[in-house]
Amino acid sequence: MMNPLDAARKSDRSPARHIRIAPSLLAADFARLGEEVRAVQAAGADLIHFDVMDNHFVPNLSVGPMVCAAIRPHATVPIDVHLMVSPVDRIIPDFARAGAAIISFHPEASVHVDRTIGLIHEQGCKAGLVLNPATPLHWLDHTLAQLDLVLVMSVNPGFGGQAFIEHTLSKVAAIRARIDAQVAAGGREVMLEVDGGVKTDNIGRVAAAGADVFVAGSAIFGTPDYQVTMAAMRAAALAACGG
Ligand code: DX5
Ligand code: ZN
């Protein structure tokens, strides 16, 4: 079966840089998760961002594969699983079975990063590497050619509703340059996702720095009309990257 993300790409008729908005369910009403997934999809969500926290790698505990499987029947867009879990390898097949399209992990949570990327691909999912605000770019030196996505944390992971850390923008720009160089040399396309404190009033700067996937939790679920909020975010992102 075709990965849902490939299916989404096949029908992609958007401008040069395809902007994707990924609402983070961490800020949704947990008592009505299925309904919340359907609501953000109806409002234009391109991905569903699913944050997994283990009270070990990060100081918070959220949801696991059973909850991912429970929302799967409601999801018509790819589920983008962000694992803040250490060690990470054992839980990866569980999330693939639970319907994840993309699985991203932090290099600090894996002893053998190349093996973890391979494991995600073997499970039929897209693989992402997550860089915390203080995690150096050298983690991409020997991984970028294998990755489908790089996720730049613009807050320290563990909680929603934190303030955007401005110095992460230069990291986004540096990764955009590396991805563009890889593609220009005939290499793999890689999505560049930013997560944490992204809102309507700063998404333009994040897009201008080179991101194309925007995670937003409180900025979307904290507003009364998801569609109005996401349309404003998309317009600001497209305007900033010339779309
Ligand atoms: C933080 C999570 C984020 C979080 C973003 O560890 O990875 O996905 O939900 O929430 P906001 O958009 O509220 O900063
Ligand atoms: Zn996240």
Side-chain angles (χ1 to χ4, degrees):
M1 197 179 87
M2 186 183 283
N3 185 300
L5 203 70
D6 290 327
R9 270 210 194 103
K10 274 204 173 328
S11 63
D12 176 7
R13 285 186 193 84
S14 312
R17 194 182 309 152
H18 182 39
I19 297 299
R20 291 188 173 94
I21 309 273
S24 163
L25 288 187
L26 197 64
D29 180 348
F30 274 26
R32 300 186 299 113
L33 274 186
E35 208 179 303
E36 291 276 65
V37 167
R38 293 197 305 274
V40 285
Q41 286 170 170
D46 300 288
L47 301 168
I48 298 294
H49 188 77
F50 191 89
D51 288 303
V52 184
M53 303 174 175
D54 69 348
N55 188 38
H56 170 72
F57 184 70
V58 292
N60 200 357
L61 190 62
S62 61
V63 286
M66 289 188 289
V67 177
C68 186
I71 65 153
R72 177 69 189 90
H74 302 273
T76 53
V77 300
I79 302 175
D80 170 34
V81 172
H82 174 192
L83 296 179
M84 289 160 273
V85 173
S86 173
V88 70
D89 287 7
R90 211 225 42 85
I91 203 79
I92 285 170
D94 296 6
F95 276 100
R97 271 193 299 277
I102 307 167
I103 299 179
S104 299
F105 68 99
H106 293 248
E108 300 90 343
S110 167
V111 178
H112 306 287
V113 169
D114 184 74
R115 177 176 285 155
T116 303
I117 295 169
L119 176 61
I120 295 169
H121 284 152
E122 278 164 25
Q123 298 293 317
C125 299
K126 304 283 184 192
L129 196 66
V130 192
L131 304 180
N132 279 338
T135 302
L137 288 189
H138 68 62
W139 280 108
L140 299 178
D141 288 355
H142 306 283
T143 56
L144 194 61
Q146 279 75 248
L147 290 170
D148 303 290
L149 178 145
V150 176
L151 171 50
V152 175
M153 291 305 300
S154 41
V155 298
N156 287 293
F159 303 95
Q162 302 181 78
F164 186 87
I165 298 174
E166 289 292 327
H167 70 73
T168 59
L169 284 175
S170 59
K171 179 180 271 185
V172 174
I175 299 170
R176 167 53 56 199
R178 289 175 74 148
I179 292 171
D180 287 351
Q182 174 166 297
V183 172
R188 195 181 185 99
E189 261 292 359
V190 183
M191 291 175 276
L192 180 48
E193 182 172 39
V194 174
D195 183 7
V198 175
K199 304 193 180 317
T200 309
D201 63 8
N202 63 16
I203 194 170
R205 285 184 292 124
V206 184
D212 54 9
V213 186
F214 305 87
V215 177
S218 47
I220 294 171
F221 288 103
T223 57
D225 189 329
Y226 302 163
Q227 208 214 313
V228 167
T229 305
M230 269 191 271
M233 293 181 86
R234 194 184 303 278
L238 283 170
C241 65

